[in-house]
Amino acid sequence: MQYAPDTATPEPAPEARSLRGRSAAFVAERIRERILSGQLPPGERLSERSLTEGLGVTRTPLREAFKILEAEGLLAIVPNRGAQVVELSPADVDMAMELLAGLESVAAELACARGTDEQFAKVAGLHARMVACQRAGDLVGYFRVNQDIHQHIVDCAHNPALSRVYRTESARVRLYRFAGNRVSARWSRAVSEHEQILLALQQRQGPLLRELLRAHHLNGWRVTRKVLENELQPDL
Amino acid sequence: MQYAPDTATPEPAPEARSLRGRSAAFVAERIRERILSGQLPPGERLSERSLTEGLGVTRTPLREAFKILEAEGLLAIVPNRGAQVVELSPADVDMAMELLAGLESVAAELACARGTDEQFAKVAGLHARMVACQRAGDLVGYFRVNQDIHQHIVDCAHNPALSRVYRTESARVRLYRFAGNRVSARWSRAVSEHEQILLALQQRQGPLLRELLRAHHLNGWRVTRKVLENELQPDL
DNA sequence: GCGACACATATTGCATGCAATCAGCGGCGG
DNA sequence: CCGCCGCTGATTGCATGCAATATGTGTCGC
């Protein structure tokens, strides 16, 4: 017969035991998810109390997580006034988009030079899924797969530093870009642009791919900016 | 006659009073300086005890600073084993240099399109200082001004996000690049390359500037890599 | 009625204390 | 002699407590 240990095991959570030394990273990941999903909107003030209660950790690792997210550009910490989700002006997003376009254009030539056919096939598979999402009218799925495709193209460059920077900088503006995808007229054109991009990638035409990505970014961002500036109403 | 305030001001340190809410950032800056100067070499383990004693803060803000520096890629925190200065393999530096070259090439065209003549004049001034350092045999000064020049060219693009990423990623590999500058034969060629770069910038020849920067990076990194791989002995 | 001040409460920043883990070392068995 | 085990001191991870600052509210003067 088996006996339970004398001391009633508190067992706060199944993963909590192994969380030692990782709780700040764990908490940061949770908060990052909430920011990127829009659950914590830009400008939202983050109370230490409610977050510690919600996440089951104390203030020390939470505050460490704040510092991580601040370094990533997702939070702004104001002394004595706590942390809040960074709010980006249209100009900020503009600069970020320019940076992302630049990173992709750098990645384009590297990807054509070094990407494997298997990686390209994976991008093609994602493209098919994206088209399926479009047909199903699944905006959220479409957007997510779209982001995945761009990240995968960058990953094809086989440069971890480039992939990391692209991922981080892309995350900073994810919410803002999402707005632009809420215009149905953009969808079909974006898909056809993606088809050209995929073709250029598979045929390893670096300079062409670079230009296609640049144009794709420009087109997408033009629409998004209009939405952000309330000049165009989303119809989805 | 002037009287001192009744309450004897404790005044633990001139900056300590205003340090509340900023001590983690302050500590991070100090440690960053030590890493970038080589005072804390790659692989060095950072003891919380000695750093708290040396910096006059307690462990809580120090550990927050560790998280910031980890997010910047300067430290690696191993659970239960503390923080150590990141060690980059030649491959890591290779990837980072490719990224930096890409960022500069993106910045090049933007700088030619948007940089002000005043900014270009400042770059020219830095170039003159660099030449002076070269003539004086001031390796450290030369290297620092050299880095400044590249950062300023990137800043000419008037894209804060681009400047920030370039600065951070450049810092990560600063120590490793320094090794390559310890070969005297590289100096004169680097200076002449810089002169061409400056000219292209002032004449706003974007595509040319992009190619010059790419070639400059490639040349510099080729020498540096040889030094790092011990195929070439520094002669300075 | 309106604004300014003062007090009370809440929240943040940091110091400290305790538990868990690691590193070094000596004893023991093989 | 070598390797394994357990012990001890040191170090890290996190919880908590205290001081400083911000925030909300009521009161007073105008």
Side-chain angles (χ1 to χ4, degrees):
Chain A
M1 182 175 174
Q2 299 281 333
Y3 288 94
D6 300 49
T7 61
T9 37
E11 202 86 37
E15 75 274 20
R17 178 165 295 268
S18 67
L19 217 57
R20 180 179 170 104
R22 268 169 276 266
S23 57
F26 171 79
V27 169
E29 176 60 26
R30 283 293 160 84
I31 298 175
R32 194 183 295 116
E33 284 167 4
R34 294 189 193 181
I35 294 173
L36 297 186
S37 72
Q39 200 178 334
L40 288 171
E44 180 92 348
R45 190 163 159 198
L46 276 61
S47 144
E48 293 184 0
R49 171 182 286 265
S50 63
L51 281 171
T52 52
E53 288 172 357
L55 294 168
V57 295
T58 54
R59 292 175 56 215
T60 306
L62 175 66
R63 288 174 57 82
E64 289 175 0
F66 281 177
K67 297 293 184 188
I68 296 171
L69 295 168
E70 184 183 35
E72 289 176 12
L74 292 176
L75 289 186
I77 299 180
V78 184
N80 293 321
R81 292 190 53 190
Q84 53 189 88
V85 181
V86 162
E87 265 179 305
L88 298 181
S89 68
D92 293 332
V93 183
D94 218 348
M95 297 294 99
M97 292 306 292
E98 195 170 78
L99 172 59
L100 289 178
L103 290 170
E104 283 193 32
S105 76
V106 169
E109 300 207 34
L110 296 173
C112 287
R114 298 191 205 137
T116 66
D117 291 334
E118 288 75 23
Q119 289 180 307
F120 295 171
K122 180 144 190 189
V123 174
L126 285 171
H127 178 71
R129 280 179 51 194
M130 192 183 78
V131 171
C133 286
Q134 182 207 15
R135 293 209 174 125
D138 176 7
L139 179 69
V140 175
Y142 170 87
F143 185 68
R144 189 173 52 236
V145 178
N146 189 349
Q147 301 271 114
D148 269 3
I149 289 174
H150 284 272
Q151 180 72 52
H152 263 84
I153 292 174
V154 172
D155 291 343
C156 288
H158 290 272
N159 184 320
L162 176 57
S163 288
R164 172 177 50 76
V165 170
Y166 183 82
R167 185 183 309 279
T168 306
E169 296 302 313
S170 180
R172 284 181 61 232
V173 291
R174 185 158 302 164
L175 272 182
Y176 298 88
R177 296 178 74 180
F178 187 65
N181 285 54
R182 298 179 63 183
V183 177
S184 55
R186 175 78 191 122
W187 273 27
S188 58
R189 190 157 165 207
V191 169
S192 89
E193 284 172 8
H194 265 228
E195 268 157 15
Q196 289 183 277
I197 286 167
L198 186 57
L199 202 65
L201 181 67
Q202 288 171 326
Q203 296 179 347
R204 299 181 184 276
Q205 298 181 1
L208 172 62
L209 181 59
R210 201 179 74 196
E211 285 313 309
L212 288 175
L213 283 170
R214 185 196 299 270
H216 179 61
H217 255 282
L218 223 62
N219 292 336
W221 173 232
R222 200 163 43 209
V223 175
T224 305
R225 180 161 45 188
K226 281 186 185 164
V227 174
L228 289 179
E229 291 170 352
N230 293 318
E231 291 175 12
L232 188 60
Q233 286 303 313
D235 55 3
L236 291 173
Chain B
M1 182 176 176
Q2 299 281 332
Y3 287 95
D6 300 48
T7 60
T9 37
E11 205 86 37
E15 76 276 23
R17 178 169 292 269
S18 67
L19 216 57
R20 178 175 172 109
R22 270 170 277 265
S23 57
F26 171 80
V27 169
E29 177 59 27
R30 283 294 154 83
I31 298 175
R32 194 183 296 116
E33 283 167 4
R34 294 190 192 178
I35 294 173
L36 297 187
S37 72
Q39 200 178 334
L40 288 171
E44 180 90 349
R45 190 162 159 201
L46 276 61
S47 145
E48 292 184 1
R49 169 183 285 265
S50 64
L51 282 171
T52 51
E53 288 171 358
L55 294 168
V57 295
T58 53
R59 293 175 55 218
T60 306
L62 175 65
R63 289 174 55 81
E64 289 175 359
F66 280 179
K67 297 293 183 188
I68 295 171
L69 295 168
E70 184 184 35
E72 289 176 13
L74 292 176
L75 290 186
I77 299 179
V78 185
N80 294 319
R81 292 190 54 190
Q84 53 188 85
V85 181
V86 162
E87 266 179 304
L88 297 182
S89 68
D92 292 333
V93 184
D94 218 347
M95 297 293 99
M97 293 305 292
E98 196 170 77
L99 172 59
L100 289 178
L103 290 171
E104 283 193 32
S105 76
V106 168
E109 301 207 33
L110 296 173
C112 288
R114 299 192 204 136
T116 67
D117 291 334
E118 288 75 24
Q119 287 180 309
F120 296 170
K122 179 144 190 189
V123 174
L126 286 170
H127 177 72
R129 280 179 51 193
M130 192 183 77
V131 172
C133 287
Q134 182 206 16
R135 292 212 175 123
D138 176 6
L139 179 68
V140 174
Y142 170 86
F143 184 68
R144 188 173 53 236
V145 178
N146 189 347
Q147 300 271 113
D148 268 4
I149 289 174
H150 284 273
Q151 180 72 51
H152 263 84
I153 292 175
V154 172
D155 291 344
C156 288
H158 289 273
N159 184 321
L162 176 58
S163 288
R164 171 178 48 79
V165 169
Y166 183 82
R167 184 182 311 277
T168 307
E169 295 303 312
S170 180
R172 285 182 59 232
V173 292
R174 184 158 303 164
L175 272 182
Y176 299 88
R177 296 178 75 180
F178 187 66
N181 284 56
R182 298 180 60 180
V183 177
S184 56
R186 175 79 191 121
W187 273 28
S188 57
R189 188 155 166 210
V191 169
S192 88
E193 283 172 8
H194 265 228
E195 269 157 14
Q196 290 184 276
I197 286 167
L198 186 56
L199 203 63
L201 181 67
Q202 288 171 325
Q203 297 179 346
R204 300 183 184 273
Q205 298 181 1
L208 172 62
L209 181 58
R210 201 179 72 196
E211 285 314 308
L212 289 174
L213 283 169
R214 185 198 300 272
H216 179 62
H217 255 280
L218 221 63
N219 293 336
W221 172 233
R222 199 164 45 210
V223 175
T224 305
R225 180 161 45 189
K226 280 184 184 165
V227 174
L228 289 179
E229 290 169 353
N230 292 318
E231 291 175 13
L232 188 59
Q233 286 304 314
D235 54 4
L236 290 172

